[in-house]
Amino acid sequence: MYNIAAIGGDGTGPEVIAEGKKVISAICSKKNVKINFTDIDVNGERYLRTGEILPASVLNDLKKFDAIYLGAIGHPDVKPGILEKGILLKIRFELDQYINLRPVKLFEGVETPLKDKSPEDIDFVVVRENTGGIYTGHGGVTRENTQDEIASQTMIYDRRTVDRCVKYAYELKRKRDAINQKYKDKPIHLVHKRNVLTYCGDLWYRAFEEMGDREYKDLKREYAHIDACNMWFVKNPEWFDVIVTENLFGDIITDLGAMIQGGMGVSAGGNINPNGASMFEPIGGSAPKYKGLNAINPTAAILAGAMMMEFLGETQIAMEIESAMKKVLKEMKSTNAGKMGMTTSEVGDRVAKYCV
Ligand code: IPM
Ligand code: MN
């Protein structure tokens, strides 16, 4: 029996999570796997109504679930930063979800803006560090609102945080190499900017090299600068298999990754604490302009649901959701909201139908 907290959140979040729940419930009941979703009301609406962002009691409750299934956080009437820091980052930090796992995989029938690139070429995973770096909010402002205002925000890393992330990435690389020769031919990449960020970059580089020498001598490894990595995502995405990187760089390259795999509508991710409650989400935002139109693409949420089942140990279920989703992607006219040639709920209906 799995207990899942479902946070629909803002904008189109609740609509896409509803489709994900539909699909997961359908396949679980076919397989006689018991799964129970508990809706948690945490979002911008609630903040505007009550002033509450994420009450401590709710945060505590979240820790008790087997996993968290999140739609989207972000409201046009709330100042940027409040909900992001108060809900999304708070959950990631407090639940120590130190890995943000973001697969970049182009499925058959999905359009990529990259000319001459096919599903064969675009199939890698970004392991984004998820609890440190510039996201920790170290810094401040003085002389505010004067001509001499000074602001700072510091990239912070400690060796333990780097090591545990690099370790996760090496282990993932080893797993992928074992399932596919195509992956094995490619190196694991560390991405940073160590030609300029000589302290943090060096810490990451040494952690990566030393662990590689010590425990993963059999794996090919390479280092790439973040700016060059951007270029190669567009020019030679087939070079990549597992990429490990710090928080902000990972945030930025995974938006580019989302675009080359067909857009925000299809890009899923997991905020993972290997020993605790992890949270799975479509990586696109709350898309307020599509709210309530039954037009948003729920694919990313459904794929995030598959990642969640995989994480829970239900590999077969995860694989079946993914293959059903692939079929529906082939039937879709476009992956963009409003242009799919079917509604949000129709996508969920079809995936659920192909699953059972
Ligand atoms: C993401 C988002 C978040 C991030 C924002 C909303 C805080 O962009 O999940 O990638 O920067 O991590
Ligand atoms: Mn982002």
Side-chain angles (χ1 to χ4, degrees):
M1 165 83 168
Y2 299 113
N3 281 310
I4 310 295
I7 306 178
D10 292 306
T12 52
E15 291 169 61
V16 297
I17 287 303
E19 298 317 308
K21 280 162 57 176
K22 185 193 280 175
V23 170
I24 295 168
S25 301
I27 187 160
C28 282
S29 89
K30 178 182 102 173
K31 303 256 182 204
N32 272 321
V33 170
K34 288 216 157 43
I35 191 154
N36 181 41
F37 291 98
T38 305
D39 289 314
I40 308 272
D41 181 35
V42 166
N43 49 52
E45 283 312 331
R46 177 171 177 181
Y47 169 66
L48 290 170
R49 205 173 60 236
T50 67
E52 271 183 328
I53 304 181
L54 178 62
S57 60
V58 177
L59 184 62
N60 248 329
D61 288 347
L62 285 178
K63 295 180 184 163
K64 295 174 200 144
F65 286 92
D66 296 308
I68 304 164
Y69 194 29
L70 172 73
I73 297 293
H75 195 289
D77 301 337
V78 181
K79 190 177 157 213
I82 294 180
L83 302 171
E84 291 84 346
K85 281 187 171 174
I87 301 175
L88 189 59
L89 299 185
K90 183 108 179 194
I91 296 175
R92 288 177 181 170
F93 290 175
E94 294 282 328
L95 274 62
D96 206 19
Q97 294 164 342
Y98 62 87
I99 298 297
N100 197 328
L101 193 64
R102 296 187 161 177
V104 177
K105 188 169 177 179
L106 178 65
F107 288 114
E108 215 59 65
V110 173
E111 208 183 322
T112 174
L114 300 186
K115 193 164 151 280
D116 304 330
K117 298 294 177 191
S118 68
E120 192 51 34
D121 303 309
I122 303 174
D123 182 5
F124 58 91
V125 185
V126 178
V127 176
R128 166 186 173 189
E129 199 291 318
N130 211 31
T131 54
I134 215 160
Y135 277 73
T136 52
H138 229 84
V141 59
T142 50
R143 304 177 190 160
E144 206 174 351
N145 291 318
T146 73
Q147 285 302 308
D148 302 314
E149 178 166 340
I150 297 172
S152 71
Q153 206 134 6
T154 311
M155 181 182 279
I156 304 244
Y157 269 107
D158 62 90
R159 183 69 187 244
R160 185 186 69 93
T161 301
V162 174
D163 273 341
R164 67 182 184 174
C165 178
V166 168
K167 177 94 195 160
Y168 186 94
Y170 271 124
E171 287 296 319
L172 178 64
K173 179 63 177 140
R174 185 163 273 167
K175 262 193 226 142
R176 283 170 66 90
D177 285 2
I179 55 168
N180 196 331
Q181 182 63 40
K182 177 185 124 185
Y183 299 147
K184 203 168 175 186
D185 293 338
K186 303 177 193 187
I188 175 173
H189 281 86
L190 168 68
V191 166
H192 211 288
K193 182 73 184 174
R194 75 184 189 102
N195 52 343
V196 175
L197 305 182
T198 48
Y199 307 129
C200 279
D202 198 51
L203 175 58
W204 275 87
Y205 187 72
R206 278 182 289 114
F208 182 67
E209 289 294 301
E210 286 167 21
M211 193 179 292
D213 274 342
R214 212 173 48 234
E215 296 168 56
Y216 302 95
K217 262 232 160 321
D218 54 314
L219 304 183
K220 292 194 226 23
R221 62 175 192 259
E222 243 165 67
Y223 167 85
H225 293 317
I226 178 69
D227 47 351
C229 174
N230 266 301
M231 180 175 78
W232 290 328
F233 266 28
V234 174
K235 200 167 163 283
N236 301 100
E238 67 279 5
W239 286 355
F240 295 105
D241 179 35
V242 171
I243 296 173
V244 60
T245 191
E246 70 86 43
N247 206 340
L248 180 64
F249 293 156
D251 175 48
I252 296 170
I253 59 172
T254 52
D255 268 23
L256 182 54
M259 283 301 124
I260 68 174
Q261 69 174 328
M264 286 298 182
V266 299
S267 308
N271 302 272
I272 293 174
N273 174 344
N275 315 304
S278 298
M279 175 167 69
F280 298 83
E281 53 172 341
I283 80 171
S286 56
K289 88 172 189 203
Y290 292 105
K291 182 183 167 158
L293 301 182
N294 202 12
I296 195 77
N297 189 346
T299 299
I302 294 170
L303 292 173
M307 287 180 79
M308 179 167 77
M309 297 316 292
E310 165 86 53
F311 174 81
L312 292 171
E314 299 292 344
T315 304
Q316 194 56 38
I317 288 183
M319 277 167 37
E320 286 183 35
I321 295 176
E322 192 177 298
S323 16
M325 189 69 247
K326 273 178 163 168
K327 270 198 212 166
V328 179
L329 280 167
K330 284 192 195 144
E331 297 166 358
M332 253 184 230
K333 286 210 185 90
S334 153
T335 54
N336 295 335
K339 298 186 184 133
M340 300 182 290
M342 53 184 97
T343 63
T344 306
S345 46
E346 235 176 295
V347 176
D349 289 343
R350 289 191 196 199
V351 180
K353 192 179 86 197
Y354 290 146
C355 275
V356 297

